[in-house]
Amino acid sequence: MAPRKKGKHWYGTGLEDARLEMGRYSQLNGYPATRFHEATCPCGAPTFTLERDDDEGVARRACTGCGAVQWMGDSAEYADTAELHRSECLCGAEAFQIVSGVALYEGTKDVRWLYIACFCPACGLIGVYADWKCEGGDADAFLART
């Protein structure tokens, strides 16, 4: 099923729809996401809480199953100055499936822009919850940390 718009928000049925929304959003932003990574936890739990500071370019996720915490991308380098705020869906839920995407500098594998999109399993809302310019280096290594 393709994402569908209700009012000014988009809804879908899973991470693929969140990835499609990230593609639409990043295209409008002028830095299209071309590489993606779905957040996973070794414990097998599919959902995470997301805390972020958009001004500092910092995000971390915590597994809702085992509590394992992961700084996303290069966020650990800037965590000392961040004031993290927990993301919450319009429906009030705080557990999301998460997909990250990056835009690259032309002709390279170097990260230029990070996008973090979420799917809310409680209501189906999809959206880009965070994005910022970053000098993330190699995209494969960077995305492995998301």
Side-chain angles (χ1 to χ4, degrees):
M1 185 172 150
R4 64 197 179 288
K5 194 169 187 180
K6 290 184 190 175
K8 61 180 182 175
H9 302 288
W10 289 89
Y11 290 82
T13 58
L15 277 180
E16 182 58 33
D17 289 337
R19 184 175 161 177
L20 290 171
E21 170 56 12
M22 181 190 302
R24 184 194 71 78
Y25 178 97
S26 67
Q27 193 73 29
L28 292 172
N29 191 45
Y31 302 107
T34 58
R35 307 282 295 276
F36 305 91
H37 181 262
E38 294 180 7
T40 58
C41 185
C43 81
T47 58
F48 303 86
T49 60
L50 176 67
E51 295 178 301
R52 66 191 203 280
D53 180 335
D54 296 332
D55 293 333
E56 295 296 324
V58 173
R60 75 176 172 199
R61 61 180 171 85
C63 176
T64 59
C66 70
V69 174
Q70 171 76 45
W71 290 103
M72 300 182 73
D74 61 357
S75 293
E77 296 175 33
Y78 307 100
D80 291 345
T81 58
E83 291 185 36
L84 296 174
H85 302 280
R86 183 169 284 192
S87 297
E88 183 177 305
C89 182
L90 294 174
C91 74
E94 295 182 347
F96 303 99
Q97 292 180 347
I98 299 173
V99 60
S100 299
V102 294
L104 306 177
Y105 283 100
E106 191 173 335
T108 74
K109 291 183 180 183
D110 292 335
V111 174
R112 178 179 195 162
W113 206 277
L114 169 66
Y115 300 94
I116 300 171
C118 297
F119 165 72
C120 177
C123 72
L125 181 75
I126 55 176
V128 175
Y129 276 59
D131 74 285
W132 52 77
K133 183 178 182 359
C134 60
E135 302 294 329
D138 178 73
D140 291 334
F142 184 88
L143 283 170
R145 298 186 309 265
T146 63

